[in-house]
Amino acid sequence: MSLKVGDIAPDFTLFNQDAQPVSLNQFKGKKVVLSFFPFANTSVCTKEMCTFRDEMKEYESLDAQVLGISVDSPFALKLFHEKNNYNFPLLSDFNKEVCTKYGTLTVFVPGKFDFQGVSKRAAFVIDRDGVIQYEEVLDNPGNEPNYNAIKETLSKIK
């Protein structure tokens, strides 16, 4: 399933890095950035999550909540979160249900690793009513999302 701008963002409940359940619906009325990433503690994923961390004041000024999502376990995400002092939740989609709903599930580096059931790097901006206003699903795991386009989209949402 491929989601596009204008679609209602599918709700979900995942465990965060502290093994606490977090639902998308609990952020209703707030803008949300979902940032899917392949693996904790890898170079590009670390850079991406650190970029969100370092720019968090901008996201807060836009009244946006950032949520990082990967197929890593909550235990791996806890170590990743603590090591890098992230200031937003990391959510474990270990069962790959949310990646499937959002159309990000893939084979990681086909022909080299062939890791089945990993999320592509992707970003979704969801407005206060739960409607997707921006979507970017990257085929190359070495590429980062367009942070400026994400912030520009957030700034246009009232």
Side-chain angles (χ1 to χ4, degrees):
M1 173 175 163
S2 218
L3 295 172
K4 60 189 179 313
V5 171
D7 288 345
I8 298 294
D11 189 30
F12 58 80
T13 300
L14 296 173
F15 289 103
N16 70 9
Q17 73 279 349
D18 296 318
Q20 298 299 310
V22 174
S23 295
L24 180 59
N25 271 346
Q26 73 189 74
F27 298 101
K28 201 79 155 179
K30 192 170 181 97
K31 302 176 216 176
V32 176
V33 176
L34 299 181
S35 180
F36 290 83
F37 62 99
F39 292 114
N41 290 302
T42 56
S43 61
V44 181
C45 296
T46 300
K47 185 175 180 214
E48 176 187 6
M49 294 300 109
C50 285
T51 299
F52 281 113
R53 177 199 65 201
D54 296 346
E55 296 178 355
M56 190 53 62
K57 292 268 188 245
E58 288 180 71
Y59 291 99
E60 288 172 349
S61 74
L62 295 165
D63 194 31
Q65 173 67 56
V66 174
L67 302 171
I69 302 174
S70 82
V71 298
D72 294 295
S73 73
F75 316 108
L77 292 176
K78 183 168 185 67
L79 294 172
F80 187 47
H81 195 274
E82 289 174 351
K83 175 181 173 185
N84 295 291
N85 299 310
Y86 294 131
N87 47 10
F88 56 92
L90 298 179
L91 307 179
S92 171
D93 187 21
F94 193 81
N95 294 327
K96 299 157 182 72
E97 294 168 2
V98 177
C99 293
T100 300
K101 286 181 183 180
Y102 280 78
T104 68
L105 206 60
T106 191
V107 176
F108 186 78
V109 192
K112 181 175 181 182
F113 294 117
D114 292 321
F115 293 155
Q116 302 291 316
V118 176
S119 181
K120 290 182 178 182
R121 193 173 316 284
F124 294 86
V125 173
I126 301 166
D127 70 17
R128 298 175 193 283
D129 297 318
V131 177
I132 296 172
Q133 297 298 325
Y134 176 86
E135 64 87 22
E136 178 181 17
V137 180
L138 301 167
D139 289 323
N140 182 338
N143 292 339
E144 293 178 66
N146 185 335
Y147 305 109
N148 289 333
I150 291 168
K151 289 184 269 190
E152 182 178 324
T153 301
L154 287 166
S155 71
K156 292 178 181 177
I157 298 171
K158 297 299 172 215

